[in-house]
């Protein structure tokens, strides 16, 4: 059954366009949207298959389990995050403080997005208590890498006590991401976050 107001021709065109995208990419795109918006536990393989316009059998041909799909979704999210930091490094090669503020602005842009549900990594940790879960291992690697990169930038910027400063930066960012999920004024949260980050890196 097609949605009311959409013609059969439009449905056929949509399906044809989707079929041009490889199944694995469609599955990952559907998983990214559903896991982030509805949570890992709240989304079954059936829902992902329906959103990706494919079948459960097709999903299991590409991913041995839902756990493997979750891990790959987070691995790709971490890769995108790394790309942001790489781009900032290339753009502000001679200014580690500008890179740190660029990272903070990247976070605030996400807080102001209409579909903001906080940090995908923090949300996933809350849903996956098992530390041996493959997704937890992806998250832990992401967190270690982020802390190392931020520490290096703080050292290059000549910030006193880089380790403590990085802990403060991560703490306020995570707090802002949590607050944004239940706030009606994310602009105020974003502005306060930028002010705090600036104070940390200028001290």
């Amino acid at each position: 059954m097609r949605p009311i107001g959409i013609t059969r021709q439009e449905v056929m065109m949509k399906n044809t366009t989707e079929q041009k995208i490889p199944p694995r990419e469609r599955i990952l795109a559907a998983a990214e949207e559903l896991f982030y918006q509805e949570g890992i536990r709240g989304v079954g393989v059936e829902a992902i298959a329906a959103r990706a316009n494919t079948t459960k059998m097709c999903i299991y041909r590409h991913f041995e389990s839902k756990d493997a799909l979750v891990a790959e979704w987070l691995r790709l999210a971490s890769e995108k995050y790394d790309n942001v930091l790489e781009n900032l490094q290339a753009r502000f090669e001679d200014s580690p403080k500008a890179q740190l503020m660029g990272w903070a602005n990247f976070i605030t842009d996400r807080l102001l997005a209409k579909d903001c549900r906080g940090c995908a990594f923090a949300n996933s940790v809350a849903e996956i208590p098992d530390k041996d879960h493959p997704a937890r291992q992806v998250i832990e690697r992401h967190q270690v890498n982020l802390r190392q990169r931020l520490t290096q930038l703080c050292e290059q910027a000549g910030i006193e006590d880089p380790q403590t400063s990085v802990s403060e930066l991560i703490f306020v960012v995570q707090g802002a991401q949590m607050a944004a999920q239940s706030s009606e004024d994310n602009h105020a949260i974003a502005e306060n976050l930028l002010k705090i980050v600036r104070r940390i890196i200028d001290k």
Side-chain angles (χ1 to χ4, degrees):
M1 179 180 295
R2 65 179 182 273
I4 296 174
I6 298 179
T7 66
R8 186 180 300 277
Q9 183 179 8
E10 288 172 329
V11 171
M12 291 176 64
M13 290 177 62
K14 178 177 182 293
N15 290 341
T16 299
T17 300
E18 288 180 344
Q19 292 301 332
K20 291 181 180 178
I21 302 172
R24 190 175 188 276
E25 292 184 20
R26 296 203 312 272
I27 293 166
L28 284 166
E32 178 181 17
E33 178 184 352
L34 293 174
F35 286 152
Y36 182 70
Q37 291 298 325
E38 301 179 21
I40 295 170
R41 294 179 183 174
V43 175
V45 175
E46 297 87 351
I48 295 170
R51 183 63 59 89
N53 194 22
T54 187
T55 64
K56 287 175 60 177
M57 185 177 297
C58 180
I59 290 177
Y60 287 125
R61 279 203 298 268
H62 292 279
F63 303 94
E64 62 181 17
S65 64
K66 178 183 173 181
D67 288 350
L69 177 56
V70 172
E72 180 63 5
W73 159 56
L74 289 170
R75 188 193 70 77
L76 290 174
S78 180
E79 189 174 274
K80 291 178 183 178
Y81 203 109
D82 287 342
N83 289 339
V84 170
L85 298 177
E86 292 290 343
N87 289 335
L88 287 170
Q89 181 179 20
R91 183 179 177 186
F92 304 110
E93 184 176 1
D94 298 326
S95 179
K97 285 191 176 182
Q99 292 181 52
L100 288 167
M101 286 307 303
W103 168 68
N105 277 291
F106 161 67
I107 298 296
T108 57
D109 286 345
R110 295 175 65 174
L111 294 180
L112 296 175
K114 291 182 179 180
D115 62 348
C116 175
R117 281 202 65 250
C119 173
F121 302 101
N123 294 347
S124 298
V125 166
E127 290 197 81
I128 306 173
D130 181 7
K131 291 190 175 183
D132 292 327
H133 191 292
R136 281 293 295 265
Q137 297 169 27
V138 172
I139 294 168
E140 288 170 9
R141 284 197 299 272
H142 172 80
Q143 293 172 334
V144 168
N145 289 339
L146 176 60
R147 179 173 285 274
Q148 288 176 342
R149 295 190 73 148
L150 294 179
T151 300
Q152 184 179 33
L153 286 174
C154 286
E155 290 172 346
Q156 292 172 349
I159 296 172
E160 185 177 350
D161 195 355
Q163 294 285 352
T164 298
S165 295
V166 169
S167 294
E168 291 172 348
L169 288 170
I170 292 174
F171 182 79
V172 296
V173 164
Q174 290 179 340
Q177 290 171 326
M178 288 294 295
Q181 295 190 56
S182 58
S183 172
E184 295 182 357
D185 188 6
N186 283 1
H187 284 87
I189 293 175
E191 289 176 4
N192 287 330
L193 173 60
L194 291 177
K195 289 178 183 178
I196 295 170
V197 170
R198 172 62 71 186
R199 283 202 296 268
I200 292 172
I201 67 176
D202 282 346
K203 67 181 181 181

